[in-house]
Amino acid sequence: MVEKRTPIAVSEAVKRVMKYAAAGEKETVEIENACGRYLAEPLMADHDVPAFDRSPYDGFALRAEDTDGLSSSNPGRFEVIGQIGAGSVFNGTVGPNQAVRIMTGAQIPEGCNAVIMLELTKEIGSSIEIKRSLIKGENISFKGEDTQKGTVLAERGTLINAGIVALLATFGYKNVPVARKPVVGVLATGSELLDIDEPMQPGKIRNSNTYMLLGQIERAGGKPIYLGKLDDNLEECYKAVAEAMEKVDILITTGGVSVGDYDYLPAIYEKLGAEVLFNKIGMRPGSVTTVAQSNGKLLFGLSGNPSACYVGFELFVRPVLRTNLFNTRPHLRKARARLALDFSKANPFTRFVRGTLQYDEAGTLSAAPSGFDKSSAVSSLASADVLIVLPGGTRGYQEGMLVDILLLEDQNGSEWPWENIVASYK
Amino acid sequence: MVEKRTPIAVSEAVKRVMKYAAAGEKETVEIENACGRYLAEPLMADHDVPAFDRSPYDGFALRAEDTDGLSSSNPGRFEVIGQIGAGSVFNGTVGPNQAVRIMTGAQIPEGCNAVIMLELTKEIGSSIEIKRSLIKGENISFKGEDTQKGTVLAERGTLINAGIVALLATFGYKNVPVARKPVVGVLATGSELLDIDEPMQPGKIRNSNTYMLLGQIERAGGKPIYLGKLDDNLEECYKAVAEAMEKVDILITTGGVSVGDYDYLPAIYEKLGAEVLFNKIGMRPGSVTTVAQSNGKLLFGLSGNPSACYVGFELFVRPVLRTNLFNTRPHLRKARARLALDFSKANPFTRFVRGTLQYDEAGTLSAAPSGFDKSSAVSSLASADVLIVLPGGTRGYQEGMLVDILLLEDQNGSEWPWENIVASYK
């Protein structure tokens, strides 16, 4: 007798999983190793930037009022009373018709309120000649004009990129508080799986999901651990899963979640005393994606089919990982694009088609499938940078229609973008 | 006397740099470490995927012709003569009104040409009852339908992502030929620079460019090495640059490239006997960006201003790095977006404004500045994911205008997207 499973909507499945998503732990890394990590604290400006009024050019600092009325026919002379390189300060006050030679980035001397660029002056002995007037504040980068002290420049949970690193350095973070990477274990199940260095054999395939998942876990910000490949043997699988649960923050298994004779994950969840959150979702690929929890720890039973495994990870595992990394926009970011192809066949389940984003000349987006579109496909994953979302229902989709897409490479993330994606099972 | 420099167009500057860009070297890494690297060889399918006709479902394999005319009112019986789990093969031939129980992914037995899903059958002793007809080929994943042997699945120089890893595993690449990461040295110059763990001092700023560049180098695929921070001292700087040139594939310096009293890079290039490719570009920020070559090795003299340094890296260093990584689309990818803000002031130089991309409901893109827009700005780099390109000229740009943008996080890259970006200097 085959078990009857009732599919739930994708949004409902995400909601059930996210109940067990929680913020993780902090650690500290040196700034050289901070790129790609997630901030464990908000990044706040502890001083103004610039920290002082400074010159944006190489030139001469002077008093704007002394240049009033100057022109080519009425040039003015200024006595040069000093010189400041960047990093030096001028001790003294600049008076009427005096100037100080100043380099880019150097602090404006007391008494000065404008800078004239080097190129617009002529040196005459220890003086300069100027043929134009300046207004007060001209060519000065003012204290705090970039960033004011106390500004929150990046929220906790923000991915640290090169720009954030520049800010961390500016505010003196030699050591950066970051989220500890959650440890995500991967266990592959299936007697059909060959190790990648084994020669091909009749009826067998190489274990590709594991290595794919290691890459997806890294992209999502976790620390992947490959825990091995198992034959379809209940006792052996149970033991491996139970042991793995002790070692990891999150466990992913691939394969064994369908209703076949050797699909042992349901029996393993039962034996572990784990609560199954769902075992059927109204989505393609990945309808058999199963998630369970045991003492609050999540076990993701992803499909053994590569495309289904890939999509299951992005929809369900990624947001849990990002939440652990203190990020409050943990889901894939949604955008809208025109379909570049017909999907005329209706499907009762919501489809997540691996696609490629195209940027058009008119500033519009379109999305085309990135290759062969089946749950078992592997080739279409290589160039996929979006998932094209085709809600389940009774109608197909035509080229040119505006549809939702999920951006796989975008780093900003999103809250869960839909109130509901309903799928009706027939 | 201030040196007069003649600015060249951005496209011309890129062209001069790219004359010295060349493919780098190969090395081999284990597949677990391949993500984020670049393929050193094309990835070719050395067998069909699937490698054999297989079942996409748990069900029964049989001969479609034996189901002709079957319906609820006219069910048919099939003798179950065997069972195959994934990874096993059935030895024998299936004859008329016989069936073999088959699990997802298993090889279709000889004689069979269709599969009926488990859920649509009823077991009666050692037989099954079927109430519908199947067509030849129904529910079979055919040999080669995903990928045919000999297909090039990814070109040399492709960034290895999770999808590519899945393919590498499928085709047995336990060891993956990748591009060796080019070593990029960073030397910061400027007496105004404080180490990041030093307290603030009057007239000084913390060295933020270096750490920012380490992140940009990593994102571009290189191996960054921080070679230190130097005061504005010609002899000391010359020695450091000359020594650094021996250790790295590419050298980046920050600061010292303008026409100020302590801008020693021009003198250093001369002393090294390096050929200066240009020292003034019609762009903002980064007009002072200087590039030289010595025996074919590139020295990038980036501005000491953070935004200028950032943009200089992305436009000039990144494509050299990516070319070294065998990539033939080494430049930032161009897209088009609506301006979300007026830039009404005309600028003779082409501007690259740090911006944030917005995806609109109608499937269109818009781009807004990501913050304070000055050459010296650092805060605007944190959330920048595009550079908004505003060609130099005599007019401003208004909100809603369609403009070119360059995508900073996109991994597909591009050939140089413009025939010419002209900038006229006034």
Side-chain angles (χ1 to χ4, degrees):
Chain A
M1 182 56 201
V2 176
E3 178 198 353
K4 269 264 177 281
R5 296 180 178 179
T6 309
I8 63 171
V10 178
S11 292
E12 171 63 20
V14 168
K15 210 169 119 190
R16 290 190 194 173
V17 171
M18 293 305 284
K19 259 180 63 182
Y20 296 92
E25 287 163 32
K26 267 186 214 191
E27 66 184 18
T28 301
V29 297
E30 298 208 339
I31 192 169
E32 290 88 340
N33 304 317
C35 249
R37 304 297 295 269
Y38 291 77
L39 286 175
E41 287 170 17
L43 168 50
M44 195 186 285
D46 71 354
H47 63 72
D48 287 331
V49 178
F52 44 84
D53 291 353
R54 69 187 180 197
S55 176
Y57 301 117
D58 301 320
F60 291 91
L62 41 69
R63 297 157 20 117
E65 51 271 39
D66 300 340
T67 65
D68 280 354
L70 299 186
S71 67
S72 340
S73 56
N74 178 33
R77 282 227 182 167
F78 291 74
E79 183 198 359
V80 179
I81 62 164
Q83 171 164 345
I84 342 172
S88 304
V89 286
F90 180 74
N91 295 313
T93 302
V94 178
N97 293 310
Q98 293 184 326
V100 169
R101 189 170 173 102
I102 190 168
M103 296 296 114
T104 305
Q107 184 167 337
I108 304 292
E110 216 168 307
C112 297
N113 56 21
V115 169
I116 186 162
M117 291 167 78
L118 224 48
E119 297 90 320
L120 301 176
T121 65
K122 192 170 147 192
E123 286 180 77
I124 303 176
S126 63
S127 296
I128 51 167
E129 188 180 75
I130 295 180
K131 293 178 171 173
R132 50 168 293 184
S133 66
L134 298 167
I135 58 169
K136 216 177 135 176
E138 195 166 342
N139 294 332
I140 290 184
S141 290
F142 291 102
K143 183 171 191 266
E145 69 173 12
D146 184 354
T147 301
Q148 292 196 315
K149 182 175 172 173
T151 309
V152 173
L153 292 159
E155 300 291 342
R156 183 186 190 219
T158 301
L159 173 67
I160 300 173
N161 61 21
I164 300 275
V165 167
L167 288 171
L168 288 167
T170 299
F171 297 111
Y173 287 83
K174 186 173 171 57
N175 297 298
V176 183
V178 298
R180 185 182 71 87
K181 290 186 181 191
V183 176
V184 187
V186 180
L187 257 180
T189 78
S191 299
E192 76 276 25
L193 298 178
L194 295 169
D195 275 325
I196 48 172
D197 50 356
E198 286 185 82
M200 292 297 286
Q201 290 172 35
K204 304 219 171 193
I205 59 169
R206 291 211 187 88
N207 174 18
S208 60
N209 286 341
T210 293
Y211 298 96
M212 177 182 79
L213 282 170
L214 303 185
Q216 288 180 284
I217 292 165
E218 265 177 41
R219 178 167 66 185
K223 181 187 162 110
I225 297 189
Y226 176 31
L227 297 167
K229 173 180 81 66
L230 299 166
D231 280 340
D232 294 317
N233 173 307
L234 177 54
E235 266 317 306
E236 194 191 325
C237 287
Y238 167 73
K239 208 166 142 254
V241 169
E243 277 173 18
M245 289 292 285
E246 302 299 316
K247 286 191 243 174
V248 300
D249 296 306
I250 292 169
L251 182 63
I252 298 175
T253 56
T254 62
V257 284
S258 194
V259 294
D261 302 341
Y262 307 100
D263 288 324
Y264 291 131
L265 265 299
I268 291 169
Y269 298 139
E270 204 181 323
K271 205 163 164 179
L272 277 174
E275 175 198 5
V276 173
L277 305 182
F278 51 81
N279 60 15
K280 187 88 180 174
I281 311 171
M283 64 184 263
R284 291 214 191 282
S287 70
V288 298
T289 306
T290 299
V291 182
Q293 68 87 14
S294 173
N295 300 318
K297 203 174 265 187
L298 287 164
L299 292 93
F300 291 90
L302 302 183
S303 165
N305 273 326
S307 283
C309 182
Y310 185 92
V311 171
F313 178 91
E314 295 297 333
L315 290 181
F316 303 109
V317 189
R318 179 198 141 112
V320 171
L321 271 177
R322 287 279 167 97
T323 302
N324 191 288
L325 296 164
F326 306 122
N327 193 297
T328 55
R329 299 167 61 80
H331 301 280
L332 292 173
R333 186 176 182 183
K334 177 175 84 75
R336 304 267 289 168
R338 303 267 165 202
L339 266 185
L341 208 76
D342 286 348
F343 284 81
S344 37
K345 210 175 148 193
N347 196 311
F349 280 1
T350 296
R351 298 176 64 187
F352 294 87
V353 180
R354 283 71 63 211
T356 306
L357 193 57
Q358 289 156 0
Y359 298 91
D360 308 323
E361 267 305 299
T364 52
L365 295 171
S366 60
S370 55
F372 185 63
D373 175 36
K374 262 197 188 177
S375 168
S376 59
V378 65
S379 62
S380 58
L381 298 173
S383 56
D385 51 16
V386 297
L387 298 175
I388 303 170
V389 185
L390 304 175
T394 51
R395 58 162 204 173
Y397 295 86
Q398 275 70 48
E399 185 185 332
M401 282 179 80
L402 202 54
V403 294
D404 287 344
I405 56 173
L406 293 174
L407 305 170
L408 292 165
E409 299 285 354
D410 174 87
Q411 290 296 2
N412 291 298
S414 169
E415 296 178 9
W416 180 245
W418 299 284
E419 192 54 36
N420 213 345
I421 298 193
V422 186
S424 54
Y425 186 66
K426 298 179 178 191
Chain B
M1 184 54 203
V2 178
E3 179 199 351
K4 270 263 176 279
R5 295 181 178 179
T6 308
I8 62 171
V10 179
S11 293
E12 171 63 21
V14 168
K15 208 169 121 190
R16 291 192 193 171
V17 171
M18 294 304 286
K19 258 180 63 181
Y20 296 92
E25 287 163 30
K26 268 188 215 190
E27 65 183 19
T28 301
V29 296
E30 298 208 338
I31 191 170
E32 290 88 339
N33 304 318
C35 249
R37 303 297 296 266
Y38 292 76
L39 286 174
E41 286 170 15
L43 167 51
M44 196 185 286
D46 71 354
H47 62 74
D48 286 332
V49 178
F52 43 86
D53 291 353
R54 69 186 179 196
S55 176
Y57 301 117
D58 301 320
F60 291 90
L62 40 68
R63 298 158 19 118
E65 50 271 39
D66 299 341
T67 66
D68 280 354
L70 298 188
S71 67
S72 339
S73 56
N74 177 34
R77 282 226 184 168
F78 291 74
E79 182 197 0
V80 179
I81 61 163
Q83 171 165 345
I84 342 170
S88 304
V89 287
F90 180 75
N91 296 314
T93 300
V94 178
N97 293 311
Q98 292 184 327
V100 168
R101 189 170 172 103
I102 189 168
M103 297 296 115
T104 306
Q107 185 167 334
I108 304 291
E110 215 168 309
C112 297
N113 56 20
V115 169
I116 186 163
M117 290 167 79
L118 223 50
E119 297 89 319
L120 301 176
T121 64
K122 192 171 147 190
E123 285 181 78
I124 302 176
S126 64
S127 295
I128 51 167
E129 189 180 75
I130 294 181
K131 293 179 171 174
R132 49 168 291 183
S133 65
L134 297 166
I135 58 170
K136 214 177 138 181
E138 196 166 342
N139 295 332
I140 290 184
S141 290
F142 290 103
K143 182 171 191 267
E145 69 173 12
D146 183 354
T147 301
Q148 293 197 316
K149 183 176 170 170
T151 309
V152 172
L153 292 159
E155 298 292 342
R156 182 188 192 220
T158 301
L159 173 67
I160 300 174
N161 61 20
I164 299 275
V165 167
L167 288 170
L168 288 166
T170 299
F171 298 110
Y173 286 83
K174 186 172 171 57
N175 297 298
V176 183
V178 299
R180 183 181 73 85
K181 291 187 181 190
V183 175
V184 186
V186 180
L187 257 180
T189 77
S191 299
E192 76 277 25
L193 298 178
L194 294 170
D195 274 325
I196 48 171
D197 50 356
E198 286 185 84
M200 292 297 285
Q201 289 172 33
K204 304 218 171 194
I205 59 169
R206 291 212 187 89
N207 174 17
S208 60
N209 286 341
T210 294
Y211 298 95
M212 177 181 80
L213 283 169
L214 303 185
Q216 288 180 286
I217 293 165
E218 266 178 40
R219 177 168 68 187
K223 180 186 165 110
I225 296 190
Y226 176 33
L227 297 168
K229 172 180 83 65
L230 298 167
D231 281 338
D232 293 318
N233 174 308
L234 177 55
E235 265 317 305
E236 194 191 326
C237 288
Y238 167 73
K239 209 168 142 250
V241 168
E243 277 173 18
M245 290 292 285
E246 302 299 315
K247 286 191 242 175
V248 300
D249 296 307
I250 291 169
L251 181 63
I252 299 176
T253 56
T254 63
V257 283
S258 194
V259 294
D261 302 342
Y262 307 99
D263 288 323
Y264 291 132
L265 265 299
I268 291 169
Y269 298 138
E270 203 181 323
K271 204 161 165 181
L272 277 173
E275 176 199 5
V276 174
L277 306 181
F278 51 82
N279 60 15
K280 187 87 180 175
I281 311 171
M283 65 184 263
R284 291 213 190 284
S287 69
V288 297
T289 305
T290 299
V291 182
Q293 68 87 14
S294 173
N295 300 319
K297 201 173 270 189
L298 287 164
L299 293 92
F300 291 91
L302 302 183
S303 166
N305 273 325
S307 283
C309 181
Y310 186 93
V311 170
F313 179 92
E314 296 297 332
L315 290 181
F316 302 109
V317 188
R318 179 198 142 110
V320 172
L321 272 178
R322 288 278 166 96
T323 301
N324 191 288
L325 296 163
F326 306 123
N327 193 295
T328 55
R329 300 167 60 78
H331 300 281
L332 292 173
R333 186 174 180 186
K334 177 175 85 75
R336 303 268 288 168
R338 301 269 166 200
L339 264 187
L341 207 78
D342 286 349
F343 284 82
S344 37
K345 209 175 148 194
N347 196 311
F349 280 2
T350 295
R351 298 177 64 187
F352 294 87
V353 180
R354 284 71 63 210
T356 307
L357 194 57
Q358 288 154 2
Y359 298 91
D360 308 322
E361 267 306 298
T364 52
L365 293 171
S366 59
S370 56
F372 185 63
D373 175 37
K374 261 197 186 175
S375 168
S376 59
V378 65
S379 62
S380 57
L381 299 172
S383 56
D385 51 16
V386 297
L387 297 176
I388 304 169
V389 185
L390 304 175
T394 51
R395 58 162 205 173
Y397 295 86
Q398 275 70 48
E399 183 184 334
M401 283 179 79
L402 203 53
V403 294
D404 287 346
I405 56 174
L406 294 174
L407 305 171
L408 293 165
E409 299 286 354
D410 175 88
Q411 290 295 5
N412 291 298
S414 168
E415 296 178 7
W416 179 247
W418 299 285
E419 192 54 36
N420 212 347
I421 297 192
V422 186
S424 54
Y425 186 68
K426 294 178 180 196

